[in-house]
Amino acid sequence: MKSILHALAEPNRLRIVELLRSGPLTVGEIAERLSFNQPQTSKHLKVLSEAGVLLVEASANRRIYRLSPKPFQELEAWASSFRRDWEERMDRLDGYLQRLQQDGTER
Amino acid sequence: MKSILHALAEPNRLRIVELLRSGPLTVGEIAERLSFNQPQTSKHLKVLSEAGVLLVEASANRRIYRLSPKPFQELEAWASSFRRDWEERMDRLDGYLQRLQQDGTER
DNA sequence: CAGCTATATTCCACTGAACGTATATTTTAG
DNA sequence: CTAAAATATACGTTCAGTGGAATATAGCTG
């Protein structure tokens, strides 16, 4: 999770991720469309790959990068777990209020 | 989204967020439980607050920080939008394959 | 094999962010 | 009003990460 967040937090890497939404691309294509130079592009792709955000497929001279579903599933699960925290807290508050009301009506 | 990711990507800030899962805390309590010094804690809390991750409530001398639901909802929605990308791609692939098959059986 | 293309790696400079210490600000207590 | 407690801000240092230029590596083509 930490490495995923770190990889995505860098603005230019986030741009790469958004670009790859529409489909897999080679290093050169990514660099061209985002006006990055090639080495910098490779470095960002390395970070994203090592974080598991991207998958690489070697095809002859070229390397085709594509989004991996996993990190986004993890991110979604992690973010949604906070929603569950709220709901649990609400449940406890609800139970507490109900107990309060019951104590009031019983006597 | 960019500021949310940036705020959460820093390991010590992530620890603060995880700590606040269990409920709101004051600056001093956060610093103590995570063995941070007070100024550094305040700085991290500032970044998290400005990114909308935390909400502050002033209570006399103290400031009580709590998680805000919004950024996590946004994060969840953003992450899940990638899943939708996959499904759409699958749909297109599916349609393509069906058309292929139809072309085959028609003649 | 030689030359060419695509990508990765290395080296260096620089910026930004995190950290610690000291200080300022705010609020309460006496 | 003064002293103490809780928090925020300012300042200087250090370090990680980004960016660019040059170079290395891998694979194709003739």
Side-chain angles (χ1 to χ4, degrees):
Chain A
M1 177 59 45
K2 206 156 54 177
S3 63
I4 296 174
L5 288 170
H6 170 256
L8 295 175
E10 209 285 322
N12 285 332
R13 282 196 291 266
L14 191 58
R15 292 181 62 193
I16 293 178
V17 168
E18 292 290 354
L19 174 61
L20 290 179
R21 267 179 186 272
S22 51
L25 292 174
T26 66
V27 178
E29 289 167 336
I30 296 169
E32 188 194 354
R33 301 204 193 182
L34 298 179
S35 302
F36 296 164
N37 58 33
Q38 177 269 316
Q40 199 57 27
T41 306
S42 284
K43 286 184 228 172
H44 282 314
L45 292 172
K46 186 178 184 180
V47 174
L48 288 165
S49 300
E50 287 179 345
V53 176
L54 301 185
L55 301 173
V56 208
E57 176 196 350
S59 167
N61 240 358
R62 329 207 156 173
R63 303 221 170 179
I64 301 170
Y65 285 85
R66 76 187 66 233
L67 294 178
S68 168
K70 270 180 227 166
F72 298 97
Q73 289 169 2
E74 290 179 34
L75 207 60
E76 189 181 350
W78 183 75
S80 72
S81 73
F82 284 86
R83 184 156 39 86
R84 233 165 291 129
D85 286 352
W86 300 114
E87 287 163 2
E88 283 170 17
R89 181 114 16 113
M90 281 300 165
D91 287 349
R92 283 202 299 278
L93 180 61
D94 203 41
Y96 171 72
L97 291 178
Q98 286 190 359
R99 256 175 283 120
L100 266 188
Q101 192 175 9
Q102 226 171 25
D103 289 356
T105 56
E106 261 182 32
R107 59 204 54 162
Chain B
M1 178 57 47
K2 206 155 56 176
S3 64
I4 296 174
L5 287 171
H6 169 254
L8 295 176
E10 209 284 323
N12 285 333
R13 283 197 290 266
L14 192 58
R15 291 181 63 192
I16 292 178
V17 168
E18 292 289 353
L19 174 61
L20 290 179
R21 266 180 188 271
S22 51
L25 291 174
T26 66
V27 178
E29 289 168 336
I30 295 169
E32 189 194 353
R33 301 203 193 183
L34 299 180
S35 302
F36 296 164
N37 58 34
Q38 178 268 316
Q40 200 57 30
T41 306
S42 284
K43 285 183 228 170
H44 282 315
L45 292 172
K46 186 177 185 180
V47 174
L48 287 166
S49 299
E50 288 178 345
V53 177
L54 301 185
L55 301 173
V56 207
E57 176 196 350
S59 167
N61 240 359
R62 330 207 156 171
R63 302 222 170 178
I64 302 170
Y65 285 86
R66 76 187 66 232
L67 294 179
S68 167
K70 270 180 226 165
F72 298 96
Q73 290 168 2
E74 290 179 33
L75 206 60
E76 189 181 349
W78 183 75
S80 71
S81 73
F82 285 85
R83 183 156 39 87
R84 232 166 294 128
D85 286 351
W86 299 116
E87 287 162 3
E88 282 170 18
R89 181 112 18 111
M90 282 300 164
D91 286 351
R92 283 202 300 277
L93 179 61
D94 203 41
Y96 172 69
L97 291 178
Q98 286 189 1
R99 253 174 285 120
L100 264 190
Q101 193 173 8
Q102 226 169 25
D103 288 356
T105 57
E106 260 181 32
R107 60 199 55 158

